[in-house]
Amino acid sequence: MNKNVGPLDKTLRIVAGLVLIVLALTGTIGAWGWIGVVPIATGLLGWCPAYTLLGIRTCPGGGAPK
């Protein structure tokens, strides 16, 4: 599992995921907000399965695992 999510991408995913979860908790967007768990997970892992399928890589240096 090579890393394919760069630092800016990670930050944006985590922030967007947290916003969705907060909106779900406050009842603003309902249960669909819990989908925010997905961008948080991909941001923390540094790997996105959709990016792998599409051949996208936003991380510098080729994304070799550490």
Side-chain angles (χ1 to χ4, degrees), residues 1 3-5 9-10 12-18 21 34-49:
M1 192 164 67
K3 301 221 182 264
N4 60 6
V5 178
D9 199 356
K10 284 181 182 185
L12 293 175
R13 286 169 182 263
I14 293 169
V15 169
L18 289 173
I21 290 173
W34 289 102
I35 198 75
V37 170
V38 174
I40 290 173
T42 58
L44 292 174
L45 291 174
W47 178 75
C48 176

